């Protein structure tokens, strides 16, 4: 495997740095199971969400461009590029999810996961899954469903538009995308979304109470 370090190193920096590191005291956490109606403007006004989308997309693209198969590679070495790609993708999503300053909670990396797929996969493959998962999760008012729906439709879209030629890559994408949802189920962690605090917080805007 050939690694172009001038692209690989920045990709690692963009993808592996947890966004939770930059959550200041002005950032509030809200479980995604609650109603968001009164918080959309605060959510969208938090620049960290848009930074997450952009850096994941650019980092994903750099990651793909930084890895190449060595000439004459045979056996398991033929899968070294996919193995490295998958390991970085899964580790990146894990870090964004696990690193959370709210006790007994996990970040719901909606923007990061979306941007990562945009950077790693062709637009023809990720466009439909993202649109469908967004619509279904919003329509059902079950935001957590975004992750399993996106993972499943990604694989389906790959078979539909690419004939399953990138099956291993699709499986790796599936594993990375579904990770936040699985983590919340396995470890009983509440998935939370961040938003910008108001100057004078209402009682409903207060941070999550500590669990006993």
């Amino acid at each position: 495997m050939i690694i172009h370090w001038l692209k690989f190193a920045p990709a690692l920096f963009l993808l592996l740095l947890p966004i939770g590191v930059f959550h200041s005291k002005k950032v509030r956490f809200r479980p995604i199971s609650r109603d968001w109606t009164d918080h959309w403007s605060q959510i969208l006004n938090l620049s960290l969400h848009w930074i997450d989308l952009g850096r994941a997309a650019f980092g994903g693209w750099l990651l793909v461009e930084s890895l190449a198969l060595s000439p004459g590679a045979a056996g398991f070495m033929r899968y070294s590029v996919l193995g490295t790609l998958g390991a970085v993708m899964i580790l990146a999503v894990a870090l964004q999810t696990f690193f959370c300053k709210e006790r007994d909670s996990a970040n719901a990396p909606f923007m990061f996961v979306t941007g990562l797929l945009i950077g790693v996969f062709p637009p023809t493959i990720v466009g439909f899954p993202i649109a469908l998962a967004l619509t279904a999760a919003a329509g059902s008012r079950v935001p957590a469903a975004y992750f399993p729906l996106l993972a499943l439709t990604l694989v389906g879209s790959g078979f539909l538009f690419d004939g399953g030629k990138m099956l291993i890559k699709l499986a790796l994408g599936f594993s990375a995308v579904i990770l936040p949802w699985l983590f919340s189920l396995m470890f009983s962690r509440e998935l939370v979304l961040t938003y910008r605090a108001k100057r004078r917080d209402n009682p409903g805007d207060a941070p999550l109470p500590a669990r006993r």
Side-chain angles (χ1 to χ4, degrees), residues 48-195:
L48 290 177
H49 290 309
W50 301 105
I51 292 173
D52 235 10
L53 179 69
R55 63 139 177 169
F58 185 49
W61 177 81
L62 283 176
L63 181 62
V64 172
E65 292 294 313
S66 68
L67 302 173
L69 195 62
S70 303
F76 288 107
M77 291 303 297
R78 293 180 300 173
Y79 302 102
S80 58
V81 170
L82 289 173
T84 304
L85 177 66
V88 174
M89 289 175 62
I90 293 172
L91 179 60
V93 175
L95 288 173
Q96 308 312 315
T97 305
F98 299 169
F99 191 94
C100 183
K101 292 183 178 180
E102 189 62 42
R103 184 180 176 184
D104 295 329
S105 300
N107 286 315
F110 291 106
M111 290 292 207
F112 184 87
V113 164
T114 303
L116 183 62
L117 293 188
I118 292 173
V120 171
F121 293 92
T124 53
I125 290 180
V126 298
F128 175 72
I130 291 173
L132 180 61
L134 277 174
T135 304
S140 63
R141 296 187 179 181
V142 183
Y146 180 72
F147 298 107
L149 281 173
L150 182 58
L152 290 171
T153 51
L154 173 68
V155 176
S157 179
F159 273 96
L160 181 62
F161 294 104
D162 194 58
K165 295 179 181 178
M166 53 174 68
L167 180 59
I168 298 178
K169 189 175 180 180
L170 289 169
L172 295 171
F174 176 94
S175 301
V177 171
I178 206 170
L179 186 60
W181 180 71
L182 286 178
F183 177 75
S184 67
L185 292 180
M186 293 173 61
F187 298 98
S188 299
R189 294 291 184 93
E190 185 83 66
L191 284 175
V192 296
L193 188 67
T194 53
Y195 63 94

Side-chain angles (χ1 to χ4, degrees), residues 27-40 42-43 102 105-108 110 190-195 202-208:
V27 172
R28 294 290 183 267
F29 301 86
R30 189 174 184 82
I32 63 174
S33 57
R34 294 184 185 176
D35 184 19
W36 298 354
T37 304
D38 299 328
H39 297 274
W40 275 117
Q42 295 166 276
I43 292 170
E102 189 62 42
S105 300
N107 286 315
F110 291 106
E190 185 83 66
L191 284 175
V192 296
L193 188 67
T194 53
Y195 63 94
N202 295 321
D205 298 333
L208 295 173

